[in-house]
Amino acid sequence: MDKDIAEKMQELIKIIDRHNHNYYVLDNPTISDGEYDKLYYSLVDLEKQSGIILPNSPTQRVGDRVLEGFNKKQHEISLHSLNKVRDYQDLTDWVNDMKSQANGTDFAVEYKFDGLTIVVQYDNGLFVDATTRGNGIIGEDVSLQVKTIRSLPLSIPYKGRLIVRGEGMMTNKAFEKYNKTAQEKLKNPRNAVAGAVRNLDPRETAKRKLDFFCYDILLCQQPNLDSQEKIHEFLKSQGFLTGDYFKLCQGAKQIIECIEEVDKVKGKLDVLIDGMVIKINDISSREQIGFTAKFPRWAMAYKFEAQEVTTVLNDVQWQVGRSGRVTPIAILQPVELAGATVSRATLNNIEDIRKKDIMIDARVFVRRSNEVIPEIMGLAEKGENSKYISQPDCCPSCGEKLLQKGPLLFCTNHLGCKEQVVDRISHFASRNAFNIEGLSEKTVKAFYENLNVRKISDIFFLTKEQLLKLDKFKDKKADNIIRSIEESKQVDFSRFLYSLGINEVGVKTARELAKTFLNYDNIKVAEIEEIVAIKDIGDIMAQSIYSFFRDGYNLSEIESLFDAGVKIKEQQVAAERNENIADKTFVITGTLSKPREEFEKIIEENGGKVTGSVSKKTDFLLVGENAGSKLEKAESLGIKILNESQFLSLCQK
């Protein structure tokens, strides 16, 4: 091979590897996708020209060869499992035992990843192969599949022989993105990894966008790796993902504090963890303490409460929302899940029910992910009396015949369906929309039943005399509601958009729409291409927004609001972004002097971003009174913390 071409290929591989590391490991891309593609295809062209493909070439991450089966491979170093404790007393006893055997020691505390164990081998700085755990002695060669994992380096700085152990993972973000377009939905990220790595077609593996988190070295010729802390730092220096949590503790009290710290936030992590791993930090002490037949004596796992359980599906109730969409809700035999008693769960739609083969009076898998509404993942076991779930023909609220669009059901009786009308008006009056105090769901129901309120605009024509006819309405209550309705007529454009209840449009999307289109006249005539160009708005959401403002009924209702005196405060274009806030990431916690949404609006209008959880990528934590675990985490990560007055000062600079 021509020496110049070889040097060009090596240089391109080095550059592409650096950008892959920035993107997939550091989550900090330093070039655009177009620039990356240009580098990548330059390498492809050189490979075609020379007929040579170097072993560490990124073009080999996704092969085109479908395997007939997996080859078995014996592990050079046998893989032990971890022993487990489930309560603090057992953990304390183990820690004290280890301290006495090791003459006092410290302990490394890390995440216990809930994925698929993979062993990866390198030699002379290059990827050699990858093997599943199997039975700990013999696994399966999954090299082609694992090479598709872009956060796994194909080449590393260390040139000696190296065998590492880690976990194949599918992040929650990748899992949700995959399921949005997948014909066959994945049940959960853990099963998704196992299915992907053990797929005989590596191209299918690649579609799931897996990651590899490395936590152990099985074989290495590098000297001075005499502690878990040094192993952790060495793995990071070689370009491996290791998770963003590693702490050294002196005893049981500190370890328990770490466990409780992570337990509070585990549902907000982007990866599944099912506990924490505690290891003696000093390697020589480990060698002294040794192994049982199954476990290392010097390591222990503390398991969190289960995030997935099975229980019986007692019934399915169909309910109608503000858009008229009719959705199934699972009524479960109550079960403890992630520290809460669960008796209801999401079922999505009839197609989802059929795909998962879910039945009434059957045992089902229920999962609580990211501490949101639990979801039924699939059938666990049928019973003698199990029966399939039938799709309703008529609306459960008003009896109107339902309209089916794909797997979705809709009630088209927009003005005569009580549940639909009450939900729509309650949303319109909610805090993030028109913020009409006193208009609770119960009050809106009374308006529907006694005052013939059917449209959102109807509430602006109510009189005090009408309200006094209602049960438990006296002068003061009636005056307060009439005053609140009147005050709400002056509304920000973003709140106005959110209040309309457009499918898929939440508070943040409404703000982005307001910033882009500035006023109602502009958004009313916006084309799909303009809408989809907005950050984080995809084709489905764009179509929903476009269709909403092409619907005659919706436009008529909006005109009725204007006739009632509603006036939109046009979105102001910021004359100049505040560089103290622009491109910075904020998290807000605690009770502030104004609604949190007002602070979010200031940040976003100045080019900043607000997220819900603290991470190493957070720039500022804005704190009010009674700040909790987010403050503790921010302090541990060294993130700048602002009180309200400091934040306002920052805005004025």
Side-chain angles (χ1 to χ4, degrees):
M1 181 171 56
D2 185 285
K3 185 179 178 182
D4 289 343
I5 291 180
E7 288 177 354
K8 285 180 183 176
M9 289 169 68
Q10 287 286 14
E11 184 62 24
L12 278 170
I13 289 171
K14 186 177 177 182
I15 294 169
I16 291 169
D17 280 348
R18 186 174 76 249
H19 289 305
N20 276 337
H21 181 73
N22 290 342
Y23 187 94
Y24 293 104
V25 178
L26 302 182
D27 196 19
N28 181 35
T30 46
I31 58 172
S32 68
D33 290 349
E35 290 168 316
Y36 178 90
D37 290 343
K38 189 174 179 180
L39 291 169
Y40 182 88
Y41 287 109
S42 294
L43 178 59
V44 171
D45 291 341
L46 287 175
E47 289 177 345
K48 288 179 180 177
Q49 179 184 339
S50 65
I52 300 295
I53 298 175
L54 298 174
N56 60 329
S57 172
T59 66
Q60 298 308 292
R61 284 196 179 272
V62 183
D64 58 3
R65 178 161 61 96
V66 178
L67 303 179
E68 293 181 5
F70 291 104
N71 293 322
K72 302 293 183 185
K73 183 175 184 296
Q74 183 163 341
H75 293 295
E76 190 167 337
I77 310 294
S78 296
L79 307 182
H80 288 78
S81 300
L82 280 176
N83 204 355
K84 303 174 183 67
V85 291
R86 286 188 177 270
D87 62 58
Y88 290 152
Q89 185 57 56
D90 286 349
L91 176 62
T92 301
D93 292 344
W94 174 81
V95 168
N96 291 338
D97 183 34
M98 291 300 102
K99 286 178 77 71
S100 66
Q101 289 194 51
N103 298 319
T105 183
D106 53 6
F107 298 84
V109 182
E110 301 172 82
Y111 290 147
K112 185 178 182 299
F113 295 108
D114 192 8
L116 180 74
T117 299
I118 299 172
V119 174
V120 186
Q121 182 177 191
Y122 293 84
D123 196 8
N124 195 29
L126 298 176
F127 174 93
V128 176
D129 58 25
T131 313
T132 61
R133 183 186 185 281
N135 61 8
I137 299 171
I138 296 174
E140 292 177 320
D141 187 334
V142 288
S143 301
L144 290 176
Q145 287 75 9
V146 169
K147 282 171 75 175
T148 70
I149 300 175
R150 292 186 178 271
S151 59
L152 176 87
L154 295 182
S155 59
I156 58 176
Y158 177 66
K159 300 307 177 189
R161 191 147 172 268
L162 178 69
I163 302 177
V164 298
R165 178 178 180 175
E167 208 86 353
M169 303 287 293
M170 189 176 195
T171 64
N172 292 320
K173 185 178 179 181
F175 173 75
E176 290 163 9
K177 187 174 181 181
Y178 180 91
N179 269 355
K180 281 182 180 178
T181 56
Q183 288 187 342
E184 188 170 342
K185 309 289 186 192
L186 301 172
K187 288 187 176 181
N188 58 53
R190 183 185 62 250
N191 291 351
V193 174
V197 173
R198 300 199 74 259
N199 194 304
L200 292 171
D201 187 349
R203 291 168 298 189
E204 292 302 312
T205 309
K207 291 177 183 177
R208 299 197 186 177
K209 309 291 185 190
L210 304 184
D211 280 298
F212 177 76
F213 289 85
C214 194
Y215 52 78
D216 195 13
I217 293 175
L218 301 177
L219 185 149
C220 182
Q221 297 161 335
Q222 171 84 0
N224 302 321
L225 292 179
D226 55 6
S227 70
Q228 185 66 27
E229 183 178 23
K230 289 182 181 178
I231 288 172
H232 182 79
E233 290 305 317
F234 175 77
L235 292 172
K236 286 172 65 176
S237 74
Q238 300 305 303
F240 293 104
L241 284 173
T242 57
D244 60 359
Y245 195 93
F246 182 93
K247 288 197 176 180
L248 289 179
C249 298
Q250 301 303 311
K253 182 181 178 184
Q254 290 181 2
I255 293 170
I256 290 168
E257 287 173 356
C258 289
I259 291 169
E260 292 184 339
E261 172 189 30
V262 175
D263 197 14
K264 290 176 185 175
V265 299
K266 67 181 184 296
K268 297 175 183 176
L269 299 176
D270 199 25
V271 292
L272 291 184
I273 63 171
D274 59 359
M276 302 298 286
V277 177
I278 304 101
K279 302 174 184 175
I280 286 181
N281 187 41
D282 179 62
I283 301 299
S284 61
S285 295
R286 294 183 188 180
E287 292 170 351
Q288 174 190 333
I289 292 170
F291 297 78
T292 68
K294 292 178 65 178
F295 311 116
R297 288 191 174 95
W298 43 264
M300 186 63 70
Y302 180 90
K303 295 274 284 185
F304 293 133
E305 291 184 72
Q307 294 289 106
E308 185 172 282
V309 295
T310 64
T311 189
V312 174
L313 174 61
N314 289 333
D315 197 8
V316 171
Q317 292 179 356
W318 296 81
Q319 64 180 31
V320 58
R322 64 177 182 269
S323 67
R325 180 175 166 181
V326 178
T327 54
I329 301 295
I331 308 302
L332 304 170
Q333 184 174 303
V335 62
E336 289 297 312
L337 176 59
T341 302
V342 172
S343 58
R344 295 162 71 88
T346 299
L347 279 171
N348 298 321
N349 56 59
I350 192 67
E351 189 175 285
D352 185 51
I353 289 170
R354 289 169 180 163
K355 275 185 179 178
K356 294 174 178 175
D357 199 30
I358 297 164
M359 305 173 76
I360 293 172
D361 290 330
R363 187 164 284 276
V364 293
F365 288 104
V366 183
R367 185 167 188 85
R368 194 176 186 201
S369 179
N370 290 332
E371 298 187 13
V372 295
I373 300 170
E375 181 179 3
I376 292 184
M377 309 309 297
L379 182 71
E381 185 181 19
K382 297 179 184 178
E384 287 183 11
N385 300 318
S386 298
K387 54 183 179 290
Y388 285 103
I389 298 162
S390 57
Q391 176 176 301
D393 295 319
C394 299
C395 174
S397 174
C398 67
E400 183 84 3
K401 187 169 179 61
L402 296 176
L403 172 69
Q404 184 160 358
K405 296 180 182 178
L408 306 179
L409 298 173
F410 292 90
C411 172
T412 57
N413 184 17
H414 295 304
L415 299 181
C417 180
K418 180 178 175 181
E419 276 189 49
Q420 193 177 154
V421 172
V422 170
D423 197 17
R424 192 156 54 239
I425 295 176
S426 297
H427 173 81
F428 177 84
S430 65
R431 189 180 68 175
N432 291 323
F434 270 61
N435 194 23
I436 304 175
E437 293 183 17
L439 243 61
S440 64
E441 184 176 318
K442 183 178 178 182
T443 300
V444 174
K445 281 182 181 177
F447 288 178
Y448 180 94
E449 293 165 352
N450 301 290
L451 301 179
N452 200 35
V453 169
R454 295 293 182 270
K455 301 188 295 182
I456 55 177
S457 57
D458 288 345
I459 62 174
F460 291 101
F461 296 97
L462 292 172
T463 64
K464 178 180 177 181
E465 290 69 29
Q466 288 177 297
L467 299 189
L468 290 173
K469 294 176 183 176
L470 300 176
D471 186 37
K472 297 183 180 178
F473 268 75
K474 304 297 182 186
D475 276 356
K476 185 177 180 181
K477 185 174 182 179
D479 283 336
N480 287 342
I481 287 183
I482 293 295
R483 186 184 66 255
S484 187
I485 289 172
E486 188 62 31
E487 290 174 350
S488 76
K489 288 181 180 180
Q490 300 281 334
V491 63
D492 291 341
F493 185 36
S494 63
R495 286 177 173 268
F496 176 81
L497 290 174
Y498 175 70
S499 76
L500 298 176
I502 306 169
N503 283 342
E504 310 284 341
V505 174
V507 172
K508 289 189 176 179
T509 302
R511 287 188 190 137
E512 289 299 320
L513 289 169
K515 282 196 294 184
T516 302
F517 295 109
L518 304 180
N519 59 51
Y520 172 67
D521 289 335
N522 289 339
I523 197 170
K524 184 171 67 170
V525 297
E527 297 296 335
I528 283 187
E529 294 77 14
E530 297 175 83
I531 301 170
V532 83
I534 299 171
K535 183 184 176 184
D536 295 334
I537 293 186
D539 292 339
I540 294 174
M541 190 187 295
Q543 183 62 56
S544 178
I545 296 164
Y546 175 84
S547 299
F548 184 91
F549 290 106
R550 298 300 185 281
D551 183 285
Y553 171 79
N554 293 335
L555 296 178
S556 173
E557 180 65 340
I558 291 170
E559 289 302 322
S560 295
L561 291 173
F562 295 154
D563 291 342
V566 169
K567 295 190 183 301
I568 300 171
K569 301 174 190 174
E570 185 169 311
Q571 183 76 18
Q572 297 299 309
V573 182
E576 184 178 344
R577 294 199 313 173
N578 185 326
E579 293 306 318
N580 293 317
I581 296 176
D583 301 320
K584 299 294 193 297
T585 299
F586 287 75
V587 174
I588 303 173
T589 188
T591 304
L592 298 160
S593 64
K594 298 177 183 177
R596 185 171 297 185
E597 293 76 20
E598 295 194 24
F599 293 94
E600 290 178 356
K601 183 181 175 185
I602 293 170
I603 293 166
E604 290 172 357
E605 284 180 348
N606 283 280
K609 181 173 73 170
V610 181
T611 61
S613 57
V614 174
S615 74
K616 58 186 177 184
K617 291 183 282 189
T618 304
D619 295 296
F620 295 104
L621 179 72
L622 171 57
V623 298
E625 293 180 7
N626 303 316
S629 60
K630 290 179 183 177
L631 175 58
E632 295 172 11
K633 185 168 185 182
E635 289 173 337
S636 71
L637 292 173
I639 289 162
K640 187 157 177 111
I641 296 165
L642 305 173
N643 60 31
E644 193 171 324
S645 63
Q646 290 169 326
F647 171 75
L648 295 174
S649 296
L650 192 73
C651 295
Q652 293 166 3
K653 290 181 181 177

